[in-house]
Every structure is written in structure tokens, then in C-alpha cells.
Amino acid sequence: MTTLSPPVPAGSSAGTSTRTEVRTDVQGLRALAVSAVLVYHLLPGTVTGGYVGVDVFFVISGFLITSHLLRRPVRGVGDLLEFWARRVRRLIPAATVVLVATLAATLLWLPSTVHARVAREVAAAALYVENWALARSATDYLAAEELASPVQHYWSLSVEEQFYVLWPVLIGLTVWVAVRWRRRGAGRPASLSAWLPTAVVGLVVVVSLAWSVHLTGTNPSAAYFVTTTRLWELALGGLVAAAVTVRPWQLPTPARAATAWAGLAAVVAAVVLFDGSTPFPGVAAALPTVGTALVIAAAADGARGGPGGLLAWRPVQWLGDVSYSVYLWHWPLIVVVPYALGRALGGVELVAVVVASLVLAALTKRWVEDPLRRQPVLVRRRAATFGLLAVCVAVSAVWGVSAASASDERVREAVVSAPAQVADAGACAGAGAVRDPSCDVQGLLTPPEAAAQDKPAVYADDCWNDPPFTTRNSCTYGSDDAPVRVALLGNSHAGHWAPALEAGEGAGDWQVDTYLQSSCYPVERLLEYEAADDAQGCLDTTRWAVDSVVDGGYDLVVLSARTNQLLADVPEAEQVDAAQDAYADTLAAFTDAGIPVLVLRDTPAMPDSVPDCLAAGPVSWDACGAPPSQALEPDPLAAAGRADDSGLVTVREVTDLMCDDDVCHPVVGGVVAYFDHGHLTATFARTLTPEVTDGVQAALRTGRSS
């Protein structure tokens, strides 16, 4: 075996271990990392930056793997396969056990509305591409409020597995080039070839970090999950390994202790100070990752005055030893247990989840991780190891795909049957049952599985302008010969009125053009977004939409929006009033041009996804609803419309059809009103057609009389 330098002796400050040495500081870091993640997920309001525990794991993995690859570099296909085989035995069996158990628990206890999605994510997790699947769905505005997947934490494992595929090839090629440089480069300093691995790993850190900073600023939802923005964190650990392997060094004991304490302080500071508003990963991720790298580089085990005694404490070492399995088990328990118990997790249940996570982790370590990792047949025969991999993938991925297919079929059946049931109820379906007290609708006309898919056509017709708002999409519905042209303007809570506009009495005389922006409501002000480009893009898109309507020869503007984004640089106490003033300016842009406006007050919002809640089998449908004081959010657009004195603004609302004094109903006249927590189903929106039609006709009359 050719190496750049001899293996570093056990106990040296370089931190590369022999086959039997255990770094107690590294085990302690693992315990700190999994504790931060566990508390963050169980009590997110207490440890707001606990998610950085994942970043600590990344640095540790990068350090250990790079140390191994530099001591025993890949020289050919056999070495590469042997490296991968060790990773398979170490990681895959335990991950598969948890995936299979989680899918079984999902099908048993979670709402049927999420079975297909979770099953597909199980397959993605089994194939270690879950991070890319989540990156794609994270940019879907309508998916933002979906029930958390019990396997979404496999995104970080996916990043690591992709790293394990790439890294031995890169390090092996780097070592090969370095050795050839030394042997064939007459007159070239040997030190240059010795430092080549450090330079290559450092280059990966720089390039990936630069991309992470860029994508965190432009597309933070995707940046959190994708491998390219996280690779530098693993490479940072590799940089420590490369540096100390090439030229072993040792800090003086006081410096080692101080460096280790400084590193721990940086990690703890990130855990305590960061929160959901911290742009991440990007530059912010440097605090916990550099802190972890400092602890590893210090190698302060046994150093007087260092944290070695704390990190070497037996319970800490035990937790570090089972940290992988704790990470695997804790999140499925957090997601599934509330549904299995039929109630939210209280204090006792939270303690039980922690205990269950630790017990299951210990059992998994004892009966799955360690035996298969050291099983003689698997160790001696790589083919047996890869056969085990094939079985694991087949069990979890194939079952995930088949379960998703079966669930999709049940959803299709529900979607097909729902329209006939609604038609049988006639005028009593949905809001009709409230208008006519003699109606007596029994049961759900639209099953939860159908309601979750019952979205207005505008969502599927690519009519949207999404963050970062670089598109200018618009759709047209109705005949080109229609005598009345209507512009539908606002965010997604304008889009859910489209079915009522299309079905309205006299709708054949209306042509509707859409100007819809996800999460961006139409005011001439900057809104707060994680990415600065999104804020400016929203404003630019609003200007485009308003100008297009003013100059477009429209007979009517239908305007509706959920005012859910904060205005930039406005104190919280002044947000509603400032938004009302901003909306007044938008209304004036239309009324000054002589265009009448119909403002549709925003509809009530429920606490959680209504189809998911109903599918979980509540005691009553209204258990999935909310009191009006909670469900009816302030609507500064409607307030601005009522305050307008131009005579061209008409305001309509349907609150009386959806709420009584005690509750805003998630199901009205047998029809599920929402396909998530706040967007109307197309079926229910159509039952609101009389109110929308009345509003349109009243608004058009104001235009004719002006």
C-alpha cells in the first residue's frame, strides 16, 4: 500500500486513530449533536438552533472517512468495493429496519391522505436520494403545510451516502496523482505532492461553501437539503484529516485545551442562538462546523484543563456510541406517536418518546448494527455484503413503491366517486346546506383522500409566479368573444376563487385572466422573505400585474389575498394598518383608471391540514376546525375596500356560510371545504358561486354607473 506518510501513532494530536483507538472527544461530539437534534425536535421553542447537530455529524464523518482513506487509499476497484462494503455493513441494515418499521406504522396509524407520499419518501430514503426529493417539494408552496414525513430526517443520511460514493474516488485519484508527481517529477519538491490532498480537499471546501452561500441567498428552501451546499461541511472534516495526516503536529497542552473549549463554545452558541430565521446553511453553518473542526483538531483527550473529562463521561460516551440509531428512531416516533395515541404529545409522552428512542437505539445497536458489521461471512465476502444491500433496498424501496401505488389507486377511486355523490346532493351540497336549513346532508360527500386532490385548475395549469418570481405567467379562461373581461389578481387565496368565477351565472359572458403570485400579495411595498431576491421579485411581479391590468382594458378586477407575509421594516404592531394603507394604494391604481374592483374577503384558515385531520378519524368533523377568533385572520385588503370612497370597490365575504358563533367548519354541507389548511377545494368553491356571482354583478354595475 502506498501512502503519503506513515499512519499517525495512536494518541497523537493528529487525531487519526488506529484500528482499536476510540476518540472520546469525537464520541462526545456525537452525543452533543444527537442531543441537540432530539431536543430541537421535541421542544423546538427551547433549543432553537438544535438543527445544527446534523452539521456536527457531517464534520465528524468527513474527518473519520478522510483519515481512513488517506491511511488506506483506494488503489483500484477492489479497494473501492471494500470501502463501500464497510459502509453498507455499518449503516444500511439499521436504516432499513427503521424504514420498514416506519412504513408499517404509517400505514397503521397515520392519515390515509399521506400514505402515498410517505411511502414514496421511504423509497427515496432507501435509495438515499431523500434530500433531493425534499429539496424539490420544499420549493412547492402548496406543499409547505403538509404533514411532516416520518422519514424526512433521512435527508442527512442521503447526503452522507452520496459523499461516501464520491469521496473515496476523489481521494484515491488525488493520492495517485500525488505519488506519480513524486516518482516522475524530477526536481519537484516532495512537499508539493504531500500537500496535494490538503489542497484538493480545501478546494472542495471553498467551492461548495461559495455555492452554499449563493443558494442560501437565492433559494433557501432547496439549499437546506441539496448535497452541493453541504459537501463543504464534510470536506471541512476532511481538511482537518488531510492536514494532520500529511504533517502530524501537536499543540501545547494549554492550547489544545483552549482550542477544544473554544470549539465546543462555538457549537453550543449555534445551538442556542440560531433559529428558523437564520439563513442556513450558508455562512451561518461555519459556526458549528468550524467549532466541531476545532475540537477534533485539538485532540484534547487527556489534556489538563480541557473538556476531555466531560466528553469522556460514561453516559456521554454511551450516547455517542448509539447516536446513529437514536437519530434514526427519534423522528418517526415524534411524528407517529401522536396519531397512535390520538392526542398531542404532553410532558409524559415526550419523556416516553425519549426513552423509547434510547431503548430502540440500544436494541438496534446490539442486535443489528454490531452483529452485521462484524459478521464473518459478510466481512470475508464482499458479494454477501452487496447481497445484503440488495435485500435491504428490495424490502424497503420496493415495498415503498408498491404501498404508494396501492394508496394512489385508493385516492383515484375516491376522486372518481366524489363528483357523483356531490351531484346526488344537488343544491344542498356544500354552502347550499347553509342557505337552505331544510337540507339534511348525511356523511361526507367528498372523502378526505379526494379533498386533498381537489384543487382548482389554476394550480395545475402553470398559472403561477413562484419565488424568486422570475416568470410572468398568466392564464385565460372563457371565450375570446366574451363581452366582459375580468382580471383575477392576488396570491393563492385569490386562485381558489377561480372555480366559482368559472361556474357563475352569466360566466359565459366573462373571460377571466389570472395574475397570481404564490405567497406574494399585491402591494407596492417590499415584503419580508428569507431571500432578498424573492422580496424584490415579488414587488416587481406585483408592478407587472397591476400595470397589465390597468393597461389591459379590463371591465373588472377581482382581488383577494391572504396577507401572510410581513411588510419589510414595519414594526409588528403597525403591520395591519400599514398593509391596509398599501392595499388602498393598489385599489386606487385601478379605481383611478375607472376599473371597478370586487374584493373577496379572505376565507377562514384551519390549524392543520383538514383532509389529514379528517382522515385521522376525529370525534367530530368540527374537531378539525377552529373558533372564529382563531380562524379569521385580519384582512387589511377587505378593510381597505370598505374604506374606499371611490364608489368603484365592492366587498363580499362568505364567512357566514363557513362559520357560526362557536366554530368555523372544515366540512360544510358534506363537502370538505379545504384541500390543505386554508385553500378552498374546487368543489366547495363552486358551491359559493351565488355569492361570487352576486359580487361580480354588483361590481360591474358600479362600473357602468360611474
Side-chain angles (χ1 to χ4, degrees):
M1 178 177 68
T2 303
T3 59
L4 295 182
S5 61
V8 180
S12 77
S13 64
T16 53
S17 63
T18 66
R19 189 175 183 84
T20 59
E21 182 192 10
V22 175
R23 287 277 301 263
T24 57
D25 55 349
V26 171
Q27 289 292 82
L29 283 171
R30 284 181 170 137
L32 173 61
V34 79
S35 297
V37 172
L38 184 61
V39 176
Y40 170 71
H41 284 155
L42 283 168
L43 301 168
T46 58
V47 182
T48 55
Y51 54 83
V52 304
V54 171
D55 306 87
V56 174
F57 279 126
F58 284 160
V59 178
I60 293 171
S61 295
F63 169 74
L64 295 175
I65 293 302
T66 307
S67 297
H68 171 82
L69 290 170
L70 289 174
R71 293 196 313 272
R72 299 173 60 185
V74 171
R75 297 166 298 171
V77 174
D79 289 342
L80 186 61
L81 293 175
E82 182 59 32
F83 172 85
W84 287 337
R86 284 193 296 270
R87 295 294 89 204
V88 168
R89 293 193 297 270
R90 170 70 180 87
L91 301 173
I92 302 301
T96 301
V97 168
V98 177
L99 280 178
V100 170
T102 302
L103 182 53
T106 294
L107 299 177
L108 183 61
W109 285 304
L110 290 191
S112 57
T113 48
V114 304
H115 287 178
R117 175 168 60 87
V118 173
R120 278 190 285 269
E121 287 198 26
V122 166
L127 298 171
Y128 289 93
V129 292
E130 171 70 348
N131 64 316
W132 294 101
L134 289 177
R136 184 174 62 251
S137 63
T139 59
D140 180 0
Y141 171 72
L142 293 179
E145 301 296 330
E146 289 181 340
L147 173 70
S149 164
V151 297
Q152 69 181 27
H153 62 314
Y154 274 70
W155 77 265
S156 62
L157 306 181
S158 298
V159 170
E160 289 205 25
E161 289 295 340
Q162 293 160 34
F163 171 78
Y164 297 147
V165 171
L166 165 69
W167 209 241
V169 177
L170 177 64
I171 297 300
L173 288 174
T174 302
V175 171
W176 180 80
V177 170
V179 170
R180 289 180 65 85
W181 177 291
R182 177 186 296 176
R183 290 176 176 174
R184 299 188 179 184
R188 294 171 180 168
S191 61
L192 290 179
S193 63
W195 282 103
L196 184 60
T198 307
V200 170
V201 175
L203 180 62
V204 173
V205 172
V206 171
V207 173
S208 176
L209 175 57
W211 176 247
S212 181
V213 172
H214 166 73
L215 199 62
T216 300
T218 58
N219 191 355
S221 297
Y224 192 87
F225 296 111
V226 297
T227 307
T228 49
T229 62
R230 297 290 189 161
L231 185 59
W232 70 272
E233 301 180 30
L234 292 127
L236 180 62
L239 188 61
V240 175
V244 300
T245 301
V246 167
R247 189 179 297 279
W249 50 272
Q250 184 170 7
L251 291 169
T253 297
R256 292 167 60 201
T259 300
W261 279 117
L264 279 179
V267 175
V268 172
V271 170
V272 173
L273 299 177
F274 288 2
D275 58 26
S277 66
T278 304
F280 207 85
V283 173
L287 185 60
T289 54
V290 171
T292 304
L294 288 175
V295 176
I296 295 173
D301 287 352
R304 179 176 298 178
L310 174 64
L311 297 176
W313 189 35
R314 187 181 297 273
V316 173
Q317 290 293 296
W318 180 85
L319 182 56
D321 199 36
V322 299
S323 58
Y324 175 58
S325 289
V326 171
Y327 183 80
L328 289 175
W329 281 111
H330 85 284
W331 183 246
L333 290 172
I334 290 172
V335 174
V336 174
V337 167
Y339 286 94
L341 297 177
R343 61 180 182 274
L345 297 179
V348 173
E349 291 86 359
L350 290 173
V351 172
V353 166
V354 173
V355 172
S357 298
L358 297 177
V359 170
L360 287 170
L363 293 174
T364 304
K365 182 75 162 57
R366 172 66 179 83
W367 298 105
V368 179
E369 285 189 59
D370 290 344
L372 291 176
R373 183 181 180 184
R374 299 164 183 161
Q375 213 284 330
V377 173
L378 296 176
V379 172
R380 288 196 305 266
R381 298 177 58 193
R382 285 197 302 264
T385 294
F386 288 110
L388 174 65
L389 172 64
V391 170
C392 288
V393 171
V395 168
S396 49
V398 174
W399 188 23
V401 171
S402 62
S405 177
S407 180
D408 286 338
E409 180 58 31
R410 289 192 295 272
V411 170
R412 280 191 292 270
E413 292 174 358
V415 169
V416 169
S417 65
Q421 295 177 174
V422 172
D424 288 343
C428 286
V434 183
R435 297 189 201 96
D436 183 356
S438 67
C439 288
D440 183 21
V441 178
Q442 300 294 323
L444 284 177
L445 304 177
T446 53
E449 296 84 358
Q453 308 299 319
D454 190 12
K455 303 175 183 179
V458 291
Y459 296 114
D461 289 348
D462 199 24
C463 302
W464 293 95
N465 299 291
D466 299 308
F469 304 107
T470 55
T471 62
R472 296 293 181 265
N473 295 329
S474 179
C475 293
T476 299
Y477 297 92
S479 170
D480 290 339
D481 299 327
V484 177
R485 297 186 65 231
V486 178
L488 176 61
L489 174 63
N491 54 26
S492 60
H493 283 228
H496 69 196
W497 292 105
L501 281 170
E502 295 173 45
E505 181 182 350
D509 294 330
W510 310 336
Q511 182 187 73
V512 179
D513 292 342
T514 64
Y515 297 89
L516 304 172
Q517 288 72 247
S518 292
S519 76
C520 169
Y521 54 87
V523 293
E524 183 77 10
R525 295 286 298 273
L526 283 173
L527 307 182
E528 285 190 0
Y529 288 91
E530 290 184 45
D533 289 350
D534 290 356
Q536 186 59 50
C538 169
L539 179 58
D540 292 342
T541 305
T542 293
R543 288 170 174 166
W544 159 78
V546 171
D547 290 344
S548 297
V549 173
V550 169
D551 298 334
Y554 288 98
D555 301 288
L556 174 67
V557 180
V558 177
L559 192 58
S560 189
R562 183 187 183 200
T563 310
N564 58 326
Q565 300 289 115
L566 296 177
L567 293 166
D569 302 321
V570 175
E572 183 176 355
E574 301 173 15
Q575 283 285 333
V576 174
D577 290 340
Q580 181 175 335
D581 292 341
Y583 276 127
D585 292 339
T586 300
L587 292 173
F590 302 129
T591 58
D592 288 350
I595 306 173
V597 180
L598 169 62
V599 173
L600 296 173
R601 195 232 189 265
D602 195 20
T603 47
M606 301 296 106
D608 300 297
S609 167
V610 170
D612 291 351
C613 180
L614 293 171
V619 175
S620 70
W621 298 337
D622 281 345
C624 300
S629 59
Q630 177 184 345
L632 290 171
E633 300 172 350
D635 189 343
L637 171 57
R642 293 189 183 98
D644 184 86
D645 59 5
S646 68
L648 288 173
V649 178
T650 303
V651 180
R652 289 288 188 272
E653 65 176 293
V654 295
T655 303
D656 61 324
L657 296 174
M658 303 184 71
C659 306
D660 55 34
D661 292 340
D662 299 320
V663 65
C664 289
H665 306 286
V667 178
V668 180
V671 175
V672 179
Y674 303 89
F675 65 77
D676 56 10
H677 82 290
H679 296 90
L680 301 181
T681 59
T683 299
F684 183 72
R686 280 190 288 270
T687 71
L688 298 172
T689 295
E691 286 69 30
V692 173
T693 299
D694 177 72
V696 169
Q697 292 173 343
L700 288 172
R701 285 194 296 271
T702 65
R704 297 188 189 104
S705 62
S706 63

